[in-house]
Amino acid sequence: MDNDEQEYFKALAGQLVSDVSSAEQVYRFTRNMDVVGAFAESLVYQFVSKVVHPLRISSGTVISKDSYKAKKTTPQLDLIIWDPNPVPPIVAEERFALVPRNSVLGIIEVKKTDYSGGLNSINKKIDEVDECFPLNSINKLFLGVICAATKYDPNGENKLSEMIGNKRVVCLLDYRGDKPIPNSEGIYRLINFLGAVRIESIKRKAKFAVNYPGSEW
């Protein structure tokens, strides 16, 4: 990574720190963590959309000829990052899409807080994504995002920290004190994940590009 790229990602991280820190303003007016978590969740969607543009973002599921043939139940996914090259989605309505497997570049599962059911749901989604993409590099491009730690210490010895240690989950805010504290490690890991998605997109485009005689711009 050259100096320009380092500065770019440093600026992105600073922006996300600023964004998630603004959740403290919401916390001053309501201690309802579902409300605060929903605000942080919205910030994640906006930030991801901005960083990966012009790639598309949708909720929905991933489809393939294998799942179609076997009539398999496919998992519902919070945030699919995809490119219409090489195959456009079968259905795309606002933020919902049925995305062909070959067009998927990354998957993010977002949870407002670190409640046990949400952590279990992320573990289940990891297994489902691994099944959707057997022997495929996309397995590395799944990330669980916990917007706010309200129960577990992200740096302690517990269920959340164990998932963070496995490198497939990040936590953005620590809400266990008097005010929310941005989790710098989690924020930088989200930035790095989105950078990996962009790199995968560049590789994918190079792979599927076809040079016809006389087609040069």
Side-chain angles (χ1 to χ4, degrees), residues 26 30 32-40 112:
V26 177
T30 176
N32 185 330
M33 285 311 303
D34 285 337
V35 175
V36 178
F39 175 71
K112 298 180 182 69

Side-chain angles (χ1 to χ4, degrees), residues 75-147:
Q76 189 279 331
L77 301 167
D78 285 344
L79 199 160
I80 306 168
I81 305 171
W82 56 276
D83 192 326
N85 175 34
V87 184
I90 304 303
V91 175
E93 297 290 340
E94 295 185 354
R95 267 175 46 178
F96 174 86
L98 303 181
V99 185
R101 182 167 61 188
N102 288 344
S103 296
V104 177
L105 293 163
I107 295 171
I108 298 177
E109 191 71 10
V110 184
K111 299 300 177 187
K112 298 180 182 69
T113 67
D114 56 341
Y115 67 102
S116 294
L119 298 182
N120 292 337
S121 175
I122 287 179
N123 274 327
K124 181 180 179 182
K125 290 296 170 66
I126 289 173
D127 292 338
E128 291 174 330
V129 168
D130 286 348
E131 184 177 349
C132 283
F133 297 92
L135 303 177
N136 191 298
S137 63
I138 198 68
N139 292 2
K140 301 175 183 178
L141 293 181
F142 172 94
L143 188 68
V145 174
I146 306 298
C147 294

Side-chain angles (χ1 to χ4, degrees), residues 184-204:
S184 297
E185 180 182 355
I187 289 170
Y188 275 105
R189 282 184 55 197
L190 174 58
I191 297 292
N192 288 337
F193 173 83
L194 297 176
V197 168
R198 291 176 65 90
I199 291 171
E200 179 70 15
S201 172
I202 293 170
K203 290 179 180 178
R204 193 80 62 86

Side-chain angles (χ1 to χ4, degrees), residues 30-48:
T30 176
R31 296 303 174 99
N32 185 330
M33 285 311 303
D34 285 337
V35 175
V36 178
F39 175 71
E41 189 177 35
S42 177
L43 291 175
V44 170
Y45 280 100
Q46 292 178 34
F47 181 79
V48 171

